Amino acid sequence: MNYLEGLAELGVGGAHPGGLKLTKELLKKESINESTVILDVGCGTGQTAAYLAGFYQCAVTAVDYNQMMVDKAINRFKLRKLPVQTMKADITQLPLKSEEYDMVISESVISFTEITRALSEITRILKPGGVFIAIEIVCERTLRDHEKRMLTSFYGFTEIQTEEAWKQQLYREGFHHVRVEKPKLKKEEMTLEDTNDFDLSEKVDEDTFEVLVLHEELMERFKEKLGFRVFRCKL
Ligand SMILES: C[S@@+](CC[C@H](N)C(=O)[O-])C[C@H]1O[C@@H](n2cnc3c(N)ncnc32)[C@H](O)[C@@H]1O
């Protein structure tokens, strides 16, 4: 059982630093209306996609490559009667037309993927001038090799990059005006302690709870070396 599988079994909504509270603050700064077309990629159980569709009444697509997450997201949209187009797909190969979206949001997703391929897909499906918002883990202080190995294997990260490396990569992929924010969060907002949005599977594997405990322990142990940033950029 890895970290993402644990999140899926527990059906954790808002599984990113800052949770829905931070998401709402970020979206408030954007000009979103009923004709805005938005993709929430790596949507998990669909908390952000549901908020977008419900509050802004814009056209929302929600994509995740984990079937359990997709099923739980569909369930959420059905219960709330929200018309969110939902699909199981990998961010590095999206079955979506080019230049279709005004905005893409990915909250704690890209570090788990092949970063260059993921960003290149996002640039393909965004309209010229489209906005990309990502919440991502960053390395604040040099990690020793064994620490990096431990973190990447537990979380399934492909890379843990510095803020500067993220910025350079976003520019290389063709984004402009990369703006970086470091929101101040309380300890519980950095982990899943503050989350109260769960959709548990019928049978939850015992290992799942161990995964969560290990997550909390790692976050505490690496609190000086790991952080997160919000990257907001335009095509
Ligand atoms: C930490 S969770 C965050 C979920 C959601 N964005 C949220 O904030 O609650 C990361 C999500 O990214 C999804 N994911 C990871 N790699 C992916 C990929 N290559 N393509 C699509 N989704 C992916 C996982 O299945 C998981 O739902």
Side-chain angles (χ1 to χ4, degrees):
M1 158 92 40
N2 67 27
Y3 175 67
L4 291 182
E5 286 163 351
L7 289 184
E9 271 207 7
L10 295 173
V12 181
H16 58 270
L20 185 60
K21 185 169 159 232
L22 174 62
T23 303
K24 286 180 179 176
E25 282 167 22
L26 298 175
L27 294 173
K28 221 187 277 172
K29 296 181 208 159
E30 304 296 330
S31 38
I32 303 172
N33 57 46
E34 285 169 26
S35 61
T36 313
V37 185
I38 305 186
L39 170 69
D40 178 9
V41 69
C43 65
T45 66
Q47 188 190 64
T48 293
Y51 175 70
L52 280 164
F55 186 77
Y56 293 99
Q57 303 194 343
C58 52
V60 184
T61 305
V63 170
D64 202 287
Y65 78 161
N66 180 304
Q67 186 65 55
M68 207 181 274
M69 288 293 203
V70 172
D71 291 343
K72 291 182 180 185
I74 289 173
N75 196 35
R76 182 195 295 271
F77 306 143
K78 229 187 231 164
L79 283 172
R80 292 185 48 191
K81 297 189 172 56
L82 293 168
V84 177
Q85 185 192 13
T86 315
M87 56 183 83
K88 177 181 183 291
D90 193 307
I91 190 172
T92 60
Q93 240 179 326
L94 293 168
L96 300 169
K97 286 197 210 122
S98 300
E99 301 187 7
E100 203 177 355
Y101 289 86
D102 299 297
M103 182 184 290
V104 174
I105 184 161
S106 73
E107 300 175 295
S108 199
V109 178
I110 311 290
S111 294
F112 296 97
T113 71
E114 287 180 57
I115 299 175
T116 307
R117 287 183 63 199
L119 293 178
S120 136
E121 266 302 75
I122 290 168
T123 59
R124 181 183 68 76
I125 57 131
L126 268 176
K127 292 178 187 168
V131 171
F132 175 46
I133 298 174
I135 300 177
E136 282 303 327
I137 189 147
V138 294
C139 180
E140 306 277 17
R141 290 195 200 162
T142 311
L143 289 161
R144 292 164 191 239
D145 282 349
H146 74 275
E147 294 176 331
K148 209 168 191 177
R149 269 199 306 276
M150 182 198 306
L151 289 163
T152 48
S153 91
F154 174 75
Y155 286 103
F157 293 141
T158 51
E159 193 54 73
I160 306 173
Q161 310 203 101
T162 60
E163 173 186 323
E164 190 51 34
W166 274 109
K167 272 173 77 176
Q168 293 306 325
Q169 188 151 18
L170 288 163
Y171 281 122
R172 263 200 313 279
E173 289 307 316
F175 288 103
H176 303 283
H177 310 296
V178 180
R179 205 177 67 201
V180 186
E181 241 187 273
K182 184 182 177 181
K184 273 223 167 333
L185 296 184
K186 296 189 204 118
K187 182 186 159 270
E188 60 272 23
E189 291 172 328
M190 274 295 288
T191 64
L192 299 172
E193 282 172 61
D194 222 27
T195 313
N196 57 10
D197 180 338
F198 293 95
D199 178 1
L200 265 63
S201 295
E202 253 171 51
K203 194 179 158 298
V204 176
D205 200 292
E206 270 177 36
D207 296 351
T208 312
F209 298 100
E210 280 172 35
V211 166
L212 279 201
V213 171
L214 196 51
H215 166 63
E216 302 293 332
E217 285 173 4
L218 286 173
M219 286 293 117
E220 179 59 27
R221 176 169 164 193
F222 289 100
K223 63 181 181 223
E224 307 296 336
K225 291 193 171 185
L226 294 179
F228 82 99
R229 298 288 187 279
V230 178
F231 298 91
R232 194 259 188 208
C233 45
K234 282 186 98 165
L235 247 204

